[in-house]
Amino acid sequence: MLNGCVTYGGSMSDHELRFALNNELHGRPGLPVKAPARVTHLAYTLTATDADPLVHVAQLFENFRQPVPMAGAVHHSGQIANGLFKFERHGEFYRISVTVDGKQSGGEAISNLPADWVNSLPGKRLVAIQTHILGKAHKVPTAKALNDIFGHDELACSAVNQGQAVVWTDFRIAADGYSRMIVHDKGLSPMRLGRLIRRLHELETYRMMALLAFPLARQLQQRIGPLENSLSLTISDMLSAKGAEEDGKLLLDLSTIARDVEELSNRSSYRFAAARAYGALVNKRIAELSEERVMSYQRLGVFLDRRFSPALATCAAVADRISGLAVRSERASNLLRTRVDIALEGQNQQLLRSMEASSRQQLTLQQTVEGLSVVAISYYAISIFAKLVEESAAYVPGMNGELVKLASIPIILVGVWLGLRRLRKRLA
């Protein structure tokens, strides 16, 4: 018993995923950042043919004689090259960030890593951000200083974390291939400042990942229009089609449209679903910033809402059009198949009536043939019997052969008729 609580032994059976699910809450932990500092953030997309970035990270830590990441790790961090390095692996991309002390002289944080190692990172670079964090003692950057850093004055700026920090950025890629952010810390703790920098970098990373669907949406729009027109024309032709041949052609056209729509859906469903998920994360990160207006600058959230949201709306509209096309083509196909089935049913009924009439004719013919068969068999039977009577008359005195033959005719006819009837019943 500990502090009045009863403890139990190890006889309980834990779920095999208990620790893995619980550790998800502690995955990819935030790292403290102390102002002033410089941070370089990179994000790379990966395909099935790209090398494992974790192997690349392990090589880096081996070169700096630091503990290497575990096999299959989704995140790893450590002190290297007078700075802090962090790696995170996500589903279709990975991120690395390098943080160095801003008091030290030198270039950007990424310059502390070997250039050949950075240039050989697997995948394709999608996000690259240089973030300068100014300390509390640093003066607020003037408009001229910001213009010198960004090269223009079209900036977005917000006071965040209840006004304890101010962020400037332009969401543009400079000539060196990097975007830039300036963060003025007004007294945040290292952990809170680290979480703020993480949110800002995630905001830009998820924004770019969501926008991967936008070029695809524009491309698919050029194919959706002709498919919609073809479907409308086919549905109109259904109203005027009367023959089975025309219905067959319309059904083939609808099958072609359905095939093309399914191909569009297969190409876009994952990308559009990912865009929705990343867009939701962007909105969540913006809400977590608790933005406040700074002078006449646009807030980060307002800037993104005016430029980012329409792109996501376009992707959602294209996804809805594809879904609508699939539903309409399926509905039209079902209607046409129903009409074809009804026509086939009518043809089948006509065929059945024709077969019934033919069966009746065959039955009548069969009965006629059966009557003729009785006469034919009786004729031959009477002939044979008459021959026997004629031959027997010589050996039987007083027998009237003609009378016997005459009397045998009805008996043979009835016997043959009864025999054929019994045989037909047995066969039936």
Side-chain angles (χ1 to χ4, degrees), residues 64 79-84 99-101 104 112:
F64 284 101
Q79 292 282 345
I80 57 172
N82 299 322
L84 185 63
T99 305
V100 298
D101 189 350
Q104 300 178 2
N112 283 19

Side-chain angles (χ1 to χ4, degrees), residues 62-261:
E62 286 179 354
N63 292 339
F64 284 101
R65 303 182 184 279
Q66 295 293 326
V68 299
M70 297 176 58
V74 295
H75 63 86
H76 187 73
S77 58
Q79 292 282 345
I80 57 172
N82 299 322
L84 185 63
F85 178 94
K86 184 175 183 181
F87 161 80
E88 290 186 11
R89 174 67 187 267
H90 297 260
E92 55 180 338
F93 70 95
Y94 69 94
R95 307 185 301 176
I96 63 173
S97 62
V98 184
T99 305
V100 298
D101 189 350
K103 296 179 181 179
Q104 300 178 2
S105 59
E108 303 293 354
I110 195 68
S111 61
N112 283 19
L113 300 180
D116 56 345
W117 183 88
V118 176
N119 293 332
S120 60
L121 282 168
K124 294 184 178 181
R125 186 175 66 173
L126 184 66
V127 178
I129 308 171
Q130 303 286 11
T131 303
H132 289 192
I133 304 172
L134 308 179
K136 184 177 181 179
H138 197 284
K139 295 182 179 180
V140 177
T142 62
K144 183 179 182 305
L146 292 171
N147 189 72
D148 292 338
I149 295 173
F150 292 98
H152 56 87
D153 56 1
E154 297 179 2
L155 306 179
C157 176
S158 295
V160 297
N161 284 31
Q162 292 77 44
Q164 295 186 334
V166 180
V167 180
W168 291 267
T169 186
D170 60 353
F171 294 104
R172 295 184 180 182
I173 301 176
D176 61 354
Y178 287 88
S179 301
R180 279 173 172 72
M181 290 185 179
I182 305 295
V183 178
H184 187 202
D185 175 31
K186 296 184 177 181
L188 290 172
S189 66
M191 286 303 300
R192 290 192 65 186
L193 182 58
R195 288 195 294 269
L196 171 61
I197 301 303
R198 178 186 176 88
R199 289 193 188 104
L200 293 172
H201 291 167
E202 287 180 343
L203 175 65
E204 183 68 359
T205 302
Y206 293 142
R207 176 182 75 90
M208 294 294 288
M209 290 299 300
L211 288 177
L212 285 176
F214 188 53
L216 177 62
R218 283 182 167 176
Q219 179 184 358
L220 295 183
Q221 279 180 324
Q222 300 176 1
R223 294 190 58 188
I224 293 175
L227 285 175
E228 289 175 332
N229 293 335
S230 298
L231 180 59
S232 299
L233 291 174
T234 303
I235 294 175
S236 299
D237 292 339
M238 287 172 57
L239 302 176
S240 58
K242 297 181 180 179
E245 183 177 351
E246 294 180 356
D247 287 343
K249 181 179 181 302
L250 290 174
L251 192 58
L252 180 60
D253 292 340
L254 286 175
S255 299
T256 302
I257 294 173
R259 178 203 62 194
D260 293 341
V261 172

Side-chain angles (χ1 to χ4, degrees), residues 21-40:
L21 296 176
N22 183 75
N23 291 338
E24 279 295 315
L25 293 176
H26 309 286
R28 303 183 179 94
L31 299 178
V33 177
K34 186 176 180 180
R38 298 189 305 275
V39 182
T40 299

